[in-house]
Amino acid sequence: MNHLISMRDLNEKQIMAYMHLAEKIENGKVSINLQGKLMAALFYEPSTRTRMSFETAMKRLSGEVISMVGTAGTSVQKGETLADTAKIMARYTDVIVIRHPNEGAARWVSEVVDVPVINAGDGSNQHPTQSLLDLYSIMKTQGTLRDLNITLVGDLKYGRTVHSLVQAMSPFNPTFTFVSPPSLAMPDDILRELSDKNISFANTEDLNSSASSADIMYVTRIQRERFPDPEEYDKVKNLFIVNNSVLENAKDNLKVLHPLPRVNEIAVEVDSTPYAYYFEQAENGVIIRQAILAKHLGVAE
Amino acid sequence: MIKTLKVDAIKRGTVIDHIPGGMGLEVLAILKPRPGEVVALGMNLSSHVLAKKDIVKIEGRELTQREVSKIALMAPNANVNIVRDYDVIKKYTVSLPKVFSGVFKCPNPQCITNAEVIKTVFTVFDGSPIRLQCTYCERDYLSNELYS
Ligand SMILES: [Zn+2]
């Protein structure tokens, strides 16, 4: 059975297959019809944007959707195991999209059901459809995924999307610059994985000087609750804001990405520059999820 | 020749030799001797193969393959001798498996294996140090994080 659980499971060729299919869908070069196909969205924790993006993708391709959002009032609350719930949903539907607070939940479900399973986020572990949409945004704006300078800004310690993105870009010979306060730096095990793969990276706190060489600047939110000391938060929160002055010497092809929602880490003035790409990025989420659903339902290659 | 360990030969049970010096206690912690099983531990003995080695003898218990694989992490080059009537009837050389299945608990409290009844699976990355990755939560661990 063909599941989408983790970026770790995908090689370069498989990643590019998603990219090419998404491109064809976007350019109207392929017409996909999922009429008669039913998707189950099992969301054990709410993530409205991800769920709506999946539902939109399915419905745009004439497929249908049933959703469980949260566990209140469901058999889960009566003590039903994840495995049992998933087995029953697999008998009703053609594909399971699952979001769950426990890490490894999607992998576990994929082992007990015989329909394709798509991981829509398992705790702080993986969120492969977000990674593929980030890659698609990068490819669309740069024309390639190869040999790019990628600067990641903000909370690099707890940010699942940045961890997945770093893994997802690894087959394409990237150069990474990690810009964060020291307490939110990229975790050691990820740096070790990069060293093992001979990928170059640098850690810095200096946002201004790292902006000029970047092809992609990927910004994430620094959350107040990550700082036990509020003074510490106040000290760093303004050091990692991307505004027009940070982008003064940027390369023409630079695009600024953000998984959204943003708070103040990208100044609103950036929205009207050619560097802003975060809203298009969100739109790309529907296209890449159409490609993912079509592929995993066996309707397209 | 190495001088024989000054612990009586056993009638029936298991002798584990060539445990790296100091790891004997860890091995015993994994094997969890039961009441009535007589255990002898020799620590920091001199050895040809290792700088210092430990030896563990358990009277009255024959180790299973599964138990032997548990030891592989802390004593990858150990010899396991199964003894009956003072004779070695079976010898295993412990070797590091590619995967540990159902042996260790995942230390990540958020891992799905700690929320439902699931056999853990750890993939072994043979390097120095040896690292193990949980198939489910995908976290990486050093071997001592799994057995301590
Ligand atoms: Zn785990």
Side-chain angles (χ1 to χ4, degrees):
Chain A
M1 192 50 65
N2 185 12
H3 308 290
L4 176 58
I5 306 299
S6 166
M7 289 310 291
R8 279 200 174 88
D9 301 337
L10 299 180
N11 61 28
E12 181 175 347
K13 201 174 145 217
Q14 290 166 314
I15 291 172
M16 291 314 292
Y18 289 106
M19 300 295 113
H20 293 318
L21 181 56
E23 212 165 48
K24 280 195 258 176
I25 290 172
E26 184 166 14
N27 298 333
K29 296 237 170 71
V30 61
S31 123
I32 288 163
N33 188 348
L34 297 184
Q35 197 170 17
K37 300 285 186 189
L38 182 56
M39 175 188 107
L42 296 185
F43 276 57
Y44 282 76
E45 57 182 17
S47 170
T48 310
R49 179 150 306 130
T50 302
R51 186 172 53 82
M52 287 177 77
S53 172
F54 265 110
E55 292 185 356
T56 306
M58 194 67 189
K59 290 183 174 177
R60 289 272 184 217
L61 298 175
S62 309
E64 292 182 83
V65 176
I66 55 168
S67 295
M68 181 193 91
V69 185
T71 57
T74 69
S75 48
V76 177
Q77 225 180 22
K78 296 174 189 147
E80 186 170 66
T81 63
L82 171 60
D84 281 5
T85 307
K87 279 180 196 166
I88 292 161
M89 293 321 291
R91 287 170 180 270
Y92 293 172
T93 61
D94 302 297
V95 57
I96 291 177
V97 174
I98 179 168
R99 169 93 163 200
H100 197 279
N102 284 121
E103 286 135 34
R107 175 95 55 203
W108 170 234
V109 166
S110 77
E111 288 172 0
V112 299
V113 302
D114 49 15
V115 299
V117 174
I118 295 170
N119 185 4
D122 59 330
S124 66
N125 183 33
Q126 288 273 331
H127 193 358
T129 66
Q130 173 74 43
S131 307
L132 288 171
L133 110 75
D134 291 342
L135 293 195
Y136 186 57
S137 300
I138 294 171
M139 204 190 73
K140 256 176 83 174
T141 59
Q142 306 298 322
T144 177
L145 293 175
R146 293 223 134 260
D147 309 322
L148 297 172
N149 285 318
I150 304 199
T151 296
L152 295 112
V153 185
D155 177 357
L156 307 185
K157 184 175 182 184
Y158 299 101
R160 172 182 60 195
T161 47
V162 295
H163 301 166
S164 300
L165 179 63
V166 163
Q167 277 166 6
M169 284 302 294
S170 290
F172 302 99
N173 189 40
T175 301
F176 291 115
T177 306
F178 301 132
V179 188
S180 72
S183 59
L184 295 178
M186 195 57 92
D188 285 342
D189 59 328
I190 301 218
L191 298 183
R192 192 167 55 202
E193 229 176 304
L194 292 177
S195 301
D196 286 352
K197 293 177 185 160
N198 281 322
I199 291 168
S200 13
F201 62 86
N203 287 299
T204 174
E205 288 174 60
D206 185 356
L207 179 58
N208 278 292
S209 67
S210 55
S212 59
S213 58
D215 300 307
I216 291 290
M217 188 175 264
Y218 198 99
V219 185
T220 60
R221 187 154 53 100
I222 293 179
Q223 295 177 52
R224 185 185 290 274
E225 54 269 29
R226 299 296 185 202
F227 290 84
D229 179 0
E231 264 177 54
E232 183 66 18
Y233 172 75
D234 287 336
K235 246 190 278 174
V236 304
K237 69 172 182 195
N238 294 326
L239 295 177
F240 301 94
I241 291 180
V242 177
N243 53 27
N244 283 352
S245 103
V246 167
L247 299 174
E248 206 168 45
N249 299 313
K251 290 164 70 173
D252 288 344
N253 64 316
L254 172 77
K255 293 293 176 210
V256 178
L257 272 58
H258 190 299
L260 302 182
R262 98 177 130 171
V263 183
N264 66 340
E265 57 279 1
I266 302 175
V268 176
E269 64 185 18
V270 177
D271 296 3
S272 53
T273 70
Y275 306 122
Y277 193 74
Y278 20 95
F279 298 116
E280 289 93 334
Q281 182 188 357
E283 193 185 332
N284 288 337
V286 174
I287 295 155
I288 198 77
R289 288 184 177 105
Q290 287 180 335
I292 290 165
L293 287 165
K295 207 164 157 23
H296 289 269
L297 282 166
V299 176
E301 276 304 298
Chain B
M1 273 302 285
I2 312 166
K3 278 284 235 180
T4 316
L5 172 62
K6 299 248 188 320
V7 176
D8 287 336
I10 59 174
K11 181 167 189 281
R12 190 181 78 83
T14 306
V15 178
I16 308 163
D17 198 356
H18 292 111
I19 300 165
M23 295 302 281
L25 283 170
E26 303 284 1
V27 167
L28 277 176
I30 282 284
L31 297 180
K32 295 188 183 66
R34 293 179 279 249
E37 291 173 350
V38 178
V39 173
L41 167 63
M43 285 185 83
N44 297 321
L45 309 164
S46 48
S47 153
H48 288 308
V49 187
L50 302 158
K52 292 283 175 203
K53 67 169 183 177
D54 290 2
I55 293 182
V56 165
K57 298 189 180 191
I58 303 178
E59 177 97 52
R61 172 142 160 226
E62 296 181 7
L63 277 190
T64 63
Q65 196 73 44
R66 190 181 132 109
E67 288 167 315
V68 168
S69 77
K70 283 191 190 187
I71 293 168
L73 214 49
M74 51 217 81
N77 302 306
N79 293 322
V80 180
N81 302 286
I82 307 298
V83 178
R84 275 183 208 162
D85 285 328
Y86 301 101
D87 275 336
V88 174
I89 58 143
K90 211 190 290 177
K91 267 181 185 284
Y92 313 116
T93 313
V94 172
S95 60
L96 191 64
K98 288 193 164 55
V99 160
F100 282 99
S101 193
V103 178
F104 301 105
K105 188 175 140 46
C106 182
N108 172 9
Q110 283 300 108
C111 181
I112 190 70
T113 60
N114 292 315
E116 303 224 337
V117 183
I118 303 172
K119 198 159 97 176
T120 62
V121 179
F122 287 91
T123 307
V124 179
F125 295 97
D126 194 359
S128 56
I130 292 166
R131 290 187 290 119
L132 298 104
Q133 187 177 61
C134 173
T135 296
Y136 292 93
C137 68
E138 303 186 24
R139 292 218 187 153
D140 251 21
Y141 297 99
L142 297 171
S143 46
N144 64 343
E145 293 178 282
L146 294 189
Y147 59 70
S148 55

